[in-house]
Amino acid sequence: MNILIVGVGGQGTLLASRILGNLAPILGLEVKLNEVHGMAQRGGSVVTHVKMADKVYSPVIAEGDADAVLAFEVLEGYRYRHFLKKGGIMVVNTQEILPMPVITGAAEYPKDLAKHLREECGAITVDALAAANEIGNARTVNTVILGCFARIAGIACADLEKALEQSVKPKLLEVNKTALKKGYSL
Amino acid sequence: MKELLLGNAAIARGAYEAGVRVATAYPGTPSTEITEIISGYGEIYSEWSPNEKVAFEAALGASVAGVRAMVCMKHVGLNVAADPLFTASYTGVGGGLLVVVADDPGMFSSQNEQDTRYIARAAHLPVLEPSNSAEAKEYVRLAFEISESYDTPVILRTTTRLAHGQSVTEIGERVERAVIPYVKNPAKYVMMPANAKNRHIVVEKRMNDLQKACDGGGVQKEIDYSKLNSITYNDRKTGILCSGIVYQYVKEALPNASVFKLGMAYPLPIERIREFAKNVENLIVIEELEPFFEEQLKINGIECRGKELFSRQGELSVNIIKEALLGVKAVAPDNALPGRPPVLCAGCPHRGVFYVLSKLKMTVCGDIGCYTLGALAPLSAVDTVVCMGAGIGMAHGFSKALPDKKNTVAVIGDSTFIHSGITGLIDCVYNKGNTTVLILDNSTTGMTGHQNHPATGKTIKEEETVKLDLETLCKACGVTSVVTVAADDLAGIEKAVKEETARAGVSVIIARKPCELILKTSRKPYRITEACKKCKACLKIGCPAIQSIDNRIEIKAEMCVGCGLCEKLCAFGAIKGE
């Protein structure tokens, strides 16, 4: 299973990939991850690759070869939609974070992206920020999306919880567990 | 035990298991994590050095003293360390010496796409190139064996995809190694002409010996070269020669091809490659960046194709290989969408400084770090960025070329200033320059993820140490006017810039406030009240938390850290904190 996680630097794509990385051995699969550190982490467009299979070579997902695209921000989901395989799963947070060219007026934020993604890619669109705020921590958007994806992909919530336990600091475990369940129920 | 390890973590683990005693580095994406992780091993002395040259020299000293040592850097860091590197090739080593260099094809976080393999060849040093985390760890061990068997520093070259990719790696135990007793040996370690002439002969013989050994001849020295260079025959119509992460792309894109995988990128096993070329119909060299292998094959009369099929620019990928060799076109990205370049974080202390410099229409010779982002709209405050420390030298050059132009300043971060800005500042003073240098002191090495440096007063292990005092240092360089201003004091910055650029001679303005990501202030977010006249003055600072939606200005509460910079810009008092 190839899972592409896209979002804006600072949204926690690295944690999401770490959780999926820890999920792979639970599912009995080999895994490779690829991340972006450095400059793009400063509010830029970030892409993280997770590849699980019996044997994985390239750690980078090819365009058109993602079984799932998890988008933490809707424009980023739209930007990377060409990675999704036909019939693949796409989970999109409807949150809009305006990029600087839009803030400065040099570009316009495209309209109705969530609708386009639903129609074009069969995307499941969720307001993960609202869900994260509901459980009292806006920074858990990443885990909410993961939970939502797990339900659609038929991954047992308990398996993902086990992977979560290996991935976050103890003091952040409870809130992330709640976020995971919240996402699973969306 | 198996663990999912980052390539950089695997290199750190490999160093630990290989019995390394000393590890040095200056942070640089994508190499930084190696030394950060090593700092967690109690058995290894580790340090952030002020720059890569010093880091290299410290590691070389440790090696000559008789222990296994390593130094890590990004590709452009190797330019800084090139001076000791080229001559360390002549001296050889005591304990093994490993030089880890991380290249950045595609420039995720760099100013150029240089190919370390060419520098290695110019310095006559062997280069190993792993293709996943497990190999990265194993190659560290092999690199130390080669280093000690052939009396040479060894370069381990990685690329961003390897450094920041995670794959499963077997964890082993540390093997302690006895210190090799130091014996004074000027003929080997004092590189004055008479000695260096003799050592140059040794260097050539060493590389010839190593090449022969890779080819299966000469003296083998008990190194398992098959772990480095391996051949897999499948369909003999197409034979691929590749190395590093590209090997993984090739295996996925062309599962039926015959593959010659190079784990040692230099020197090449030319005779084995010649044999491989004879056994396949078409030999294709697939390598990122420069035609390093291809040229050597062609010089040796081995027919092959390479850069006529693949670009020298950017990364390769599974789809690029499929398109070039199988004619399969990949889905194209949607380029019509607004881009999302990186931005200075909400609450970044640099933002106000760039706002002032932009407002005063200064010519800004910038530098490498988070504050490079001051070049982007709407701040658009930076005129030049070249390499670490270049801003000061270039501003000095501006002032000498155009003595009447008074509005040129240099802008440099604290860590970068210590890395290679100090000599530039001394040049300005010594040669009677008229430059104003702004040191943006956010009290950390920011872009690479918050590493300590001499002016933070803490070591890599967070131990207290002597804190380098930037004001005293600048004065000691002969700068008579050194002004310190709080980085968020807009009026103070403006006054200082106006006064210091008007003053004859060299001035330094230190704009100081720690990085917001360290401070993590939990002040309440600001909000826009009904007094807003929609003049959009607050949008000029390029804060990602302030947005204009349908002609309504809004502060995104989940992004605002409450720094209050926008409040200072609002002429109508329409921005309020709690």
Side-chain angles (χ1 to χ4, degrees):
Chain A
M1 184 164 40
N2 296 340
I3 307 164
L4 192 79
I5 306 172
V6 303
V8 178
Q11 278 193 303
T13 54
L14 290 187
L15 174 64
S17 66
R18 197 157 68 229
I19 296 169
L20 290 171
N22 286 326
L23 175 71
I26 296 171
L27 303 178
L29 296 171
E30 184 186 336
V31 66
K32 283 189 182 177
L33 309 179
N34 214 274
E35 310 164 352
V36 173
H37 299 213
M39 190 177 256
Q41 279 181 299
R42 304 276 171 264
S45 168
V46 290
V47 188
T48 303
H49 305 253
V50 181
K51 291 181 78 169
M52 302 181 202
D54 292 329
K55 175 77 195 159
V56 182
Y57 287 109
S58 164
V60 182
I61 299 169
E63 296 88 341
D65 201 28
D67 299 288
V69 173
L70 312 184
F72 292 3
E73 198 269 354
V74 65
L75 172 60
E76 295 313 308
Y78 199 72
R79 192 190 307 284
Y80 292 104
R81 69 192 189 284
H82 64 294
F83 274 82
L84 192 68
K85 254 185 212 166
K86 225 179 160 63
I89 298 170
M90 190 170 197
V91 181
V92 179
N93 178 17
T94 53
Q95 184 185 356
E96 293 182 359
I97 300 174
L98 304 193
M100 200 46 70
V102 172
I103 293 178
T104 61
E108 246 183 78
Y109 197 96
K111 298 236 180 296
D112 302 322
L113 291 179
K115 182 169 163 276
H116 287 308
L117 286 172
R118 280 194 298 269
E119 288 167 3
E120 202 181 309
C121 309
I124 308 296
T125 56
V126 293
D127 189 344
L129 180 62
N133 277 329
E134 242 173 75
I135 61 166
N137 189 330
R139 299 197 56 77
T140 58
V141 161
N142 48 5
T143 345
V144 170
I145 296 277
L146 268 192
C148 185
F149 162 68
R151 181 178 56 75
I152 298 160
I155 297 165
C157 199
D159 284 344
L160 203 55
E161 248 181 62
K162 218 156 98 191
L164 179 73
E165 280 166 20
Q166 299 165 23
S167 315
V168 298
K169 288 183 194 144
K171 69 170 188 179
L172 293 173
L173 184 59
E174 272 319 303
V175 67
N176 274 295
K177 268 190 180 174
T178 314
L180 202 63
K181 284 181 187 141
K182 179 93 193 167
Y184 208 84
S185 70
L186 283 178
Chain B
M1 190 182 58
K2 287 191 169 182
E3 262 185 54
L4 188 59
L5 284 191
L6 200 64
N8 281 344
I11 292 169
R13 182 72 202 182
Y16 172 77
E17 291 176 14
V20 165
R21 298 271 187 106
V22 172
T24 60
Y26 181 81
T29 312
S31 71
T32 313
E33 297 84 2
I34 304 168
T35 316
E36 278 184 322
I37 293 164
I38 283 181
S39 74
Y41 296 123
E43 293 92 335
I44 305 178
Y45 167 80
S46 59
E47 69 171 41
W48 292 129
S49 312
N51 66 30
E52 294 85 354
K53 178 176 182 287
V54 179
F56 189 100
E57 290 152 351
L60 177 61
S63 158
V64 172
V67 304
R68 285 191 165 182
M70 73 188 279
V71 53
C72 306
M73 62 199 73
K74 68 182 295 175
H75 60 319
V76 284
L78 188 62
N79 302 339
V80 180
D83 203 354
L85 176 91
F86 274 73
T87 303
S89 175
Y90 281 34
T91 64
V93 302
L97 177 60
L98 174 64
V99 185
V100 182
V101 187
D103 284 6
D104 190 15
M107 291 181 277
F108 290 88
S109 215
S110 304
Q111 66 270 37
N112 75 25
E113 263 183 320
Q114 70 187 48
D115 191 327
T116 290
R117 298 174 300 170
Y118 274 104
I119 298 179
R121 190 168 72 167
H124 305 291
L125 292 173
V127 182
L128 305 191
E129 201 176 0
S131 77
N132 60 30
S133 296
E135 275 182 16
K137 191 179 82 98
E138 176 65 8
Y139 283 15
V140 169
R141 190 182 66 75
L142 283 167
F144 278 107
E145 282 184 13
I146 293 169
S147 175
E148 287 167 1
S149 300
Y150 288 87
D151 190 11
T152 178
V154 174
I155 292 177
L156 183 85
R157 180 204 187 216
T158 72
T159 56
T160 305
R161 293 294 183 186
L162 183 107
H164 290 158
Q166 299 195 35
S167 55
V168 173
T169 309
E170 181 77 35
I171 303 295
E173 293 299 316
R174 177 174 169 90
V175 181
E176 285 296 348
R177 306 186 63 87
V179 178
I180 301 165
Y182 173 70
V183 180
K184 184 165 175 161
N185 187 354
K188 186 168 187 295
Y189 294 121
V190 179
M191 284 302 93
M192 52 199 341
N195 294 339
K197 280 175 188 166
N198 291 328
R199 292 301 301 177
H200 196 176
I201 297 165
V202 175
V203 168
E204 267 195 56
K205 181 175 181 309
R206 171 184 79 209
M207 294 312 278
N208 284 335
D209 287 351
L210 189 53
Q211 173 165 16
K212 274 191 203 134
C214 291
D215 255 337
V219 185
Q220 288 288 311
K221 296 204 182 187
E222 291 178 16
I223 287 162
D224 189 356
Y225 303 96
S226 67
K227 279 201 165 145
L228 290 169
N229 299 327
S230 62
I231 304 174
T232 314
Y233 282 109
N234 282 315
D235 178 7
R236 304 211 174 195
K237 207 167 155 29
T238 310
I240 306 289
L241 181 85
C242 60
S243 69
I245 201 76
V246 175
Y247 168 75
Q248 306 291 351
Y249 302 156
V250 167
K251 289 299 281 182
E252 187 169 320
L254 311 165
N256 296 322
S258 295
V259 180
F260 196 128
K261 174 179 181 291
L262 290 165
M264 188 184 281
Y266 189 74
L268 294 183
I270 284 293
E271 294 315 315
R272 292 185 67 202
I273 296 172
R274 198 186 303 281
E275 193 189 317
F276 179 71
K278 278 184 196 149
N279 291 335
V280 295
E281 275 178 48
N282 297 297
L283 177 58
I284 295 165
V285 180
I286 310 184
E287 52 191 327
E288 283 179 323
L289 304 179
E290 302 296 318
F292 181 77
F293 300 144
E294 184 186 354
E295 281 180 351
Q296 291 179 78
L297 263 55
K298 287 183 170 163
I299 288 167
N300 282 282
I302 301 171
E303 213 177 291
C304 62
R305 285 190 298 159
K307 288 299 164 187
E308 63 183 273
L309 298 165
F310 298 98
S311 171
R312 295 176 187 226
Q313 289 139 39
E315 292 188 286
L316 292 178
S317 70
V318 170
N319 279 351
I320 290 172
I321 293 169
K322 278 186 178 171
E323 187 171 339
L325 299 183
L326 307 176
V328 184
K329 265 224 170 296
V331 212
D334 188 343
N335 288 325
L337 298 173
R340 190 184 297 276
V343 290
L344 293 171
C345 303
C348 176
H350 303 323
R351 178 170 281 110
V353 177
F354 284 120
Y355 171 75
V356 170
L357 294 175
S358 181
K359 182 178 142 190
L360 298 178
K361 298 195 166 47
M362 290 286 161
T363 298
V364 175
C365 295
D367 231 293
I368 306 277
C370 286
Y371 50 93
T372 306
L373 298 174
L376 299 178
L379 291 164
S380 309
V382 178
D383 291 73
T384 67
V385 172
V386 175
C387 69
M388 296 285 284
I392 299 180
M394 289 183 72
H396 177 61
F398 257 88
S399 78
K400 290 296 178 188
L402 307 171
D404 296 331
K405 180 174 162 61
K406 303 289 184 199
N407 67 340
T408 306
V409 297
V411 167
I412 189 166
D414 44 338
S415 188
T416 309
F417 176 67
I418 297 162
H419 178 283
S420 49
I422 300 168
T423 42
L425 185 64
I426 291 172
D427 184 38
C428 297
V429 175
Y430 169 57
N431 286 307
K432 302 177 182 180
N434 267 313
T435 307
T436 299
V437 177
L438 284 95
I439 301 175
L440 306 192
D441 179 4
N442 65 352
S443 311
T444 189
T445 315
M447 186 61 100
T448 46
H450 304 108
Q451 290 76 31
N452 281 314
H453 61 65
T456 67
K458 297 242 175 83
T459 68
I460 191 169
K461 298 195 187 213
E462 292 291 331
E463 292 157 352
E464 300 283 334
T465 183
V466 176
K467 187 174 190 286
L468 177 67
D469 186 276
L470 294 179
E471 283 86 342
T472 309
L473 174 71
C474 293
K475 283 177 189 157
C477 291
V479 180
T480 45
S481 182
V482 180
V483 187
T484 303
V485 194
D488 53 2
D489 175 6
L490 286 185
I493 301 266
E494 185 166 341
K495 180 168 170 279
V497 171
K498 281 181 178 161
E499 282 175 9
E500 298 309 318
T501 49
R503 193 191 301 278
V506 181
S507 309
V508 171
I509 302 168
I510 299 174
R512 182 170 286 143
K513 192 187 171 195
C515 171
E516 176 59 33
L517 298 181
I518 293 179
L519 285 181
K520 286 194 177 136
T521 29
S522 51
R523 284 163 303 193
K524 287 249 172 81
Y526 279 67
R527 62 197 160 77
I528 307 232
T529 66
E530 279 153 20
C532 175
K533 303 277 185 228
K534 301 187 175 55
C535 71
K536 300 192 176 175
C538 56
L539 290 177
K540 288 187 186 154
I541 51 173
C543 175
I546 311 177
Q547 311 189 335
S548 166
I549 302 166
D550 304 328
N551 205 30
R552 187 168 44 82
I553 316 292
E554 196 180 282
I555 296 177
K556 290 258 180 187
E558 72 270 15
M559 294 181 82
C560 176
V561 297
C563 75
L565 182 67
C566 53
E567 185 188 23
K568 293 174 187 160
L569 296 176
C570 184
F572 307 101
I575 301 181
K576 291 270 185 257
E578 290 302 320

